[in-house]
Amino acid sequence: MREFSYCHLCARQLMHFMTLAALLSLCYPIMGLNFRWSASICPSSGIATSRETSIVPASSNLHRTFHSSRSREALVKDTFQRYPSWLAGWRVTFGCLRADLLRNKSGEQQEIAINDALFGVTLLSFGQGKPSKRHQRRHCQIEYNYMLPIVGGFMTMTSPEDSCGALSFSLISTCRDDNESFVLETSVSGYRPKFAGPAPVSRLRAGIYRSTQSLVHAYVMWRFHHYCYHQTG
Protein backbone atom coordinates (compact mmCIF):
# COMPACT_ATOMS: atom_id res chain seq x y z
CA MET A 1 0.00 0.00 0.00
CA ARG A 2 2.89 2.34 0.88
CA GLU A 3 4.55 1.52 -2.46
CA PHE A 4 1.32 2.35 -4.29
CA SER A 5 1.07 5.65 -2.42
CA TYR A 6 4.57 6.66 -3.45
CA CYS A 7 3.87 5.73 -7.08
CA HIS A 8 0.66 7.73 -6.95
CA LEU A 9 2.57 10.64 -5.42
CA CYS A 10 5.20 10.55 -8.19
CA ALA A 11 2.47 10.55 -10.84
CA ARG A 12 0.70 13.41 -9.08
CA GLN A 13 3.89 15.47 -8.85
CA LEU A 14 4.62 14.80 -12.53
CA MET A 15 1.19 16.22 -13.39
CA HIS A 16 2.01 19.32 -11.29
CA PHE A 17 5.36 19.65 -13.04
CA MET A 18 3.85 19.41 -16.52
CA THR A 19 1.09 21.90 -15.68
CA LEU A 20 3.54 24.44 -14.30
CA ALA A 21 5.93 23.82 -17.20
CA ALA A 22 3.11 24.71 -19.58
CA LEU A 23 2.48 27.90 -17.61
CA LEU A 24 6.19 28.64 -17.79
CA SER A 25 6.23 28.31 -21.57
CA LEU A 26 3.41 30.87 -21.75
CA CYS A 27 5.19 33.24 -19.37
CA TYR A 28 8.68 32.92 -20.90
CA PRO A 29 8.39 35.91 -23.29
CA ILE A 30 7.54 38.09 -20.29
CA MET A 31 10.24 36.52 -18.12
CA GLY A 32 12.88 37.31 -20.70
CA LEU A 33 12.44 41.06 -20.23
CA ASN A 34 14.13 41.13 -16.82
CA PHE A 35 14.96 37.55 -15.89
CA ARG A 36 17.86 35.31 -16.87
CA TRP A 37 17.95 31.61 -16.09
CA SER A 38 20.42 28.80 -16.69
CA ALA A 39 20.34 25.19 -15.53
CA SER A 40 22.32 22.00 -16.02
CA ILE A 41 22.72 18.49 -14.64
CA CYS A 42 26.02 16.62 -14.54
CA PRO A 43 25.58 13.12 -16.07
CA SER A 44 28.38 11.51 -14.05
CA SER A 45 27.40 12.80 -10.59
CA GLY A 46 23.70 13.55 -11.06
CA ILE A 47 24.20 16.98 -9.46
CA ALA A 48 21.84 19.67 -10.76
CA THR A 49 22.63 23.38 -10.68
CA SER A 50 20.66 26.46 -11.65
CA ARG A 51 21.02 30.21 -11.48
CA GLU A 52 18.39 32.93 -11.87
CA THR A 53 19.16 36.64 -12.00
CA SER A 54 17.06 39.77 -12.39
CA ILE A 55 17.63 43.51 -12.05
CA VAL A 56 15.62 44.95 -9.18
CA PRO A 57 13.42 47.72 -10.68
CA ALA A 58 14.28 51.19 -9.35
CA SER A 59 10.56 51.81 -8.79
CA SER A 60 10.08 48.68 -6.65
CA ASN A 61 9.51 48.62 -2.90
CA LEU A 62 12.57 46.41 -2.45
CA HIS A 63 14.86 48.90 -4.22
CA ARG A 64 13.59 51.87 -2.21
CA THR A 65 13.65 50.03 1.11
CA PHE A 66 17.07 48.47 0.60
CA HIS A 67 18.59 51.72 -0.68
CA SER A 68 17.56 53.58 2.50
CA SER A 69 18.02 50.74 4.99
CA ARG A 70 20.66 50.96 7.70
CA SER A 71 20.35 47.24 8.48
CA ARG A 72 20.65 45.56 5.11
CA GLU A 73 21.73 42.18 6.48
CA ALA A 74 18.58 41.95 8.58
CA LEU A 75 16.41 43.01 5.63
CA VAL A 76 17.95 40.35 3.37
CA LYS A 77 17.44 37.65 6.01
CA ASP A 78 13.86 38.70 6.65
CA THR A 79 13.02 38.70 2.92
CA PHE A 80 14.69 35.45 1.87
CA GLN A 81 13.83 33.31 4.90
CA ARG A 82 10.19 33.59 3.83
CA TYR A 83 10.82 31.40 0.78
CA PRO A 84 9.61 28.02 2.19
CA SER A 85 6.34 29.43 3.54
CA TRP A 86 5.86 31.48 0.37
CA LEU A 87 6.40 28.34 -1.75
CA ALA A 88 3.64 26.50 0.13
CA GLY A 89 1.22 29.40 -0.33
CA TRP A 90 -2.00 28.95 -2.28
CA ARG A 91 -1.08 31.51 -4.93
CA VAL A 92 2.07 29.59 -5.82
CA THR A 93 1.30 25.87 -5.57
CA PHE A 94 -2.52 25.98 -5.44
CA GLY A 95 -2.86 24.21 -2.09
CA CYS A 96 -0.79 21.19 -3.15
CA LEU A 97 1.92 21.88 -0.54
CA ARG A 98 2.21 22.97 3.06
CA ALA A 99 5.17 24.22 5.10
CA ASP A 100 5.69 22.69 8.56
CA LEU A 101 8.18 23.90 11.17
CA LEU A 102 10.15 21.18 12.94
CA ARG A 103 11.47 22.21 16.35
CA ASN A 104 13.93 20.66 18.77
CA LYS A 105 13.18 19.82 22.41
CA SER A 106 13.90 23.38 23.53
CA GLY A 107 11.37 24.75 21.05
CA GLU A 108 13.89 26.27 18.63
CA GLN A 109 13.29 25.92 14.90
CA GLN A 110 15.43 23.11 13.52
CA GLU A 111 14.05 22.50 10.02
CA ILE A 112 11.20 23.58 7.80
CA ALA A 113 9.60 20.83 5.74
CA ILE A 114 7.70 21.27 2.47
CA ASN A 115 5.07 18.53 2.59
CA ASP A 116 2.58 17.18 0.12
CA ALA A 117 -0.84 18.35 1.34
CA LEU A 118 -2.56 15.05 0.49
CA PHE A 119 -0.21 12.35 1.80
CA GLY A 120 1.91 14.45 4.17
CA VAL A 121 5.11 13.21 2.50
CA THR A 122 8.07 15.57 2.97
CA LEU A 123 9.17 16.60 -0.52
CA LEU A 124 11.99 18.94 0.56
CA SER A 125 13.35 19.85 3.95
CA PHE A 126 15.44 22.95 4.65
CA GLY A 127 17.80 23.50 7.56
CA GLN A 128 18.63 26.74 9.35
CA GLY A 129 19.36 29.62 7.00
CA LYS A 130 22.85 31.14 7.00
CA PRO A 131 23.33 34.85 6.17
CA SER A 132 26.66 36.19 4.91
CA LYS A 133 28.17 39.28 3.32
CA ARG A 134 30.96 39.68 0.77
CA HIS A 135 32.75 42.73 -0.60
CA GLN A 136 34.08 42.91 -4.16
CA ARG A 137 35.96 46.19 -4.13
CA ARG A 138 37.26 45.73 -7.66
CA HIS A 139 33.70 45.82 -9.03
CA CYS A 140 32.36 48.21 -6.36
CA GLN A 141 29.95 45.50 -5.24
CA ILE A 142 28.62 44.17 -1.97
CA GLU A 143 26.84 40.82 -1.91
CA TYR A 144 24.26 40.13 0.79
CA ASN A 145 23.68 36.37 0.83
CA TYR A 146 21.30 33.95 2.50
CA MET A 147 21.75 30.19 2.13
CA LEU A 148 19.10 27.56 2.88
CA PRO A 149 20.69 24.10 3.14
CA ILE A 150 18.63 21.25 1.72
CA VAL A 151 18.71 18.52 4.35
CA GLY A 152 16.41 15.88 2.86
CA GLY A 153 13.05 15.07 1.37
CA PHE A 154 11.45 12.76 -1.17
CA MET A 155 12.62 14.88 -4.12
CA THR A 156 16.32 14.58 -3.35
CA MET A 157 18.76 11.70 -3.61
CA THR A 158 20.29 11.35 -0.17
CA SER A 159 23.26 9.42 1.15
CA PRO A 160 24.90 9.44 4.60
CA GLU A 161 28.21 10.84 3.35
CA ASP A 162 26.91 13.57 1.01
CA SER A 163 25.06 16.82 1.57
CA CYS A 164 21.76 17.36 -0.22
CA GLY A 165 22.73 20.72 -1.68
CA ALA A 166 21.63 24.25 -0.97
CA LEU A 167 19.37 27.02 -2.21
CA SER A 168 21.08 30.41 -2.15
CA PHE A 169 19.71 33.94 -2.40
CA SER A 170 21.77 37.06 -3.06
CA LEU A 171 21.07 40.76 -3.32
CA ILE A 172 24.04 42.41 -5.03
CA SER A 173 24.60 46.13 -4.65
CA THR A 174 26.68 47.97 -7.27
CA CYS A 175 27.70 51.64 -6.93
CA ARG A 176 28.82 53.61 -9.97
CA ASP A 177 28.91 57.41 -10.28
CA ASP A 178 26.93 57.81 -7.05
CA ASN A 179 24.15 55.61 -8.44
CA GLU A 180 23.31 52.36 -6.70
CA SER A 181 21.66 49.44 -8.49
CA PHE A 182 20.63 46.02 -7.23
CA VAL A 183 20.61 42.56 -8.78
CA LEU A 184 18.64 39.70 -7.28
CA GLU A 185 20.20 36.28 -7.75
CA THR A 186 19.01 32.83 -6.73
CA SER A 187 20.84 29.56 -7.28
CA VAL A 188 20.79 25.85 -6.52
CA SER A 189 24.03 23.95 -5.97
CA GLY A 190 24.96 20.41 -4.97
CA TYR A 191 21.40 19.14 -5.47
CA ARG A 192 20.77 15.59 -6.69
CA PRO A 193 17.14 15.41 -7.88
CA LYS A 194 15.44 12.07 -7.39
CA PHE A 195 13.36 12.90 -10.45
CA ALA A 196 16.49 12.40 -12.61
CA GLY A 197 17.34 9.10 -10.92
CA PRO A 198 20.70 7.81 -9.66
CA ALA A 199 24.01 8.65 -11.33
CA PRO A 200 25.16 8.20 -13.99
CA VAL A 201 22.22 10.08 -15.50
CA SER A 202 21.34 9.12 -19.07
CA ARG A 203 20.57 11.72 -21.73
CA LEU A 204 16.93 10.66 -21.66
CA ARG A 205 16.57 11.14 -17.89
CA ALA A 206 18.53 14.40 -18.00
CA GLY A 207 16.26 15.65 -20.80
CA ILE A 208 13.12 14.71 -18.85
CA TYR A 209 14.45 16.52 -15.76
CA ARG A 210 15.34 19.67 -17.73
CA SER A 211 11.93 19.78 -19.40
CA THR A 212 9.91 19.22 -16.20
CA GLN A 213 11.26 19.88 -12.70
CA SER A 214 13.97 22.24 -13.93
CA LEU A 215 11.43 24.36 -15.83
CA VAL A 216 9.08 24.39 -12.86
CA HIS A 217 11.90 25.61 -10.62
CA ALA A 218 12.62 28.46 -13.05
CA TYR A 219 8.94 29.43 -13.05
CA VAL A 220 8.77 29.34 -9.24
CA MET A 221 11.91 31.46 -8.87
CA TRP A 222 10.60 33.98 -11.42
CA ARG A 223 7.53 34.30 -9.23
CA PHE A 224 9.67 34.64 -6.11
CA HIS A 225 11.81 37.37 -7.65
CA HIS A 226 8.66 39.37 -8.33
CA TYR A 227 7.40 38.65 -4.82
CA CYS A 228 10.64 40.08 -3.41
CA TYR A 229 10.28 43.27 -5.47
CA HIS A 230 7.14 44.12 -3.50
CA GLN A 231 8.59 43.56 -0.04
CA THR A 232 9.09 46.54 2.24
CA GLY A 233 10.97 44.81 5.05
Side-chain angles (χ1 to χ4, degrees):
M1 185 66 182
R2 183 179 179 84
E3 208 171 302
F4 171 77
S5 297
Y6 275 138
C7 291
H8 187 273
L9 174 62
C10 289
R12 187 167 181 262
Q13 292 304 317
L14 179 59
M15 290 178 64
H16 296 335
F17 288 151
M18 297 306 294
T19 301
L20 288 175
L23 289 173
L24 175 64
S25 66
L26 294 174
C27 294
Y28 189 78
I30 301 173
M31 289 170 59
L33 296 176
N34 185 37
F35 187 85
R36 295 292 180 268
W37 163 65
S38 62
S40 64
I41 183 167
C42 177
S44 60
S45 65
I47 292 177
T49 58
S50 71
R51 186 179 300 274
E52 305 83 30
T53 59
S54 65
I55 299 171
V56 179
S59 60
S60 67
N61 290 338
L62 180 62
H63 189 287
R64 290 194 297 268
T65 305
F66 201 72
H67 181 73
S68 61
S69 176
R70 294 184 179 181
S71 182
R72 293 185 168 185
E73 292 90 341
L75 178 61
V76 164
K77 179 182 178 180
D78 181 65
T79 300
F80 294 145
Q81 70 180 358
R82 301 177 190 178
Y83 175 77
S85 57
W86 171 87
L87 177 63
W90 177 266
R91 292 185 178 182
V92 184
T93 48
F94 315 108
C96 297
L97 304 177
R98 71 171 191 264
D100 294 329
L101 290 176
L102 305 178
R103 301 183 182 275
N104 56 25
K105 293 182 179 179
S106 60
E108 298 175 343
Q109 180 182 331
Q110 192 170 14
E111 296 178 14
I112 182 165
I114 304 299
N115 296 329
D116 177 81
L118 181 61
F119 293 101
V121 175
T122 299
L123 303 179
L124 282 175
S125 186
F126 297 102
Q128 287 279 11
K130 301 173 183 178
S132 63
K133 179 180 175 181
R134 185 174 68 168
H135 291 263
Q136 294 191 27
R137 300 188 186 280
R138 182 180 177 183
H139 301 288
C140 301
Q141 289 182 341
I142 304 177
E143 289 187 16
Y144 300 88
N145 306 306
Y146 188 76
M147 185 188 72
L148 273 176
I150 302 170
V151 296
F154 183 77
M155 292 178 64
T156 183
M157 300 288 291
T158 58
S159 61
E161 66 277 4
D162 294 329
S163 68
C164 300
L167 180 59
S168 300
F169 308 85
S170 299
L171 197 55
I172 304 168
S173 165
T174 303
C175 287
R176 288 193 178 93
D177 301 325
D178 295 327
N179 291 320
E180 188 174 28
S181 61
F182 303 104
V183 171
L184 179 57
E185 182 176 284
T186 50
S187 62
V188 173
S189 59
Y191 171 60
R192 291 182 173 86
K194 186 172 288 187
F195 201 70
V201 178
S202 67
R203 289 185 178 181
L204 175 61
R205 284 189 282 136
I208 292 174
Y209 168 76
R210 284 194 297 266
S211 61
T212 52
Q213 186 177 343
S214 181
L215 280 177
V216 172
H217 174 75
Y219 169 74
V220 168
M221 297 318 293
W222 172 67
R223 291 281 307 273
F224 186 68
H225 279 223
H226 281 262
Y227 165 80
C228 291
Y229 297 160
H230 294 89
Q231 298 310 297
T232 57

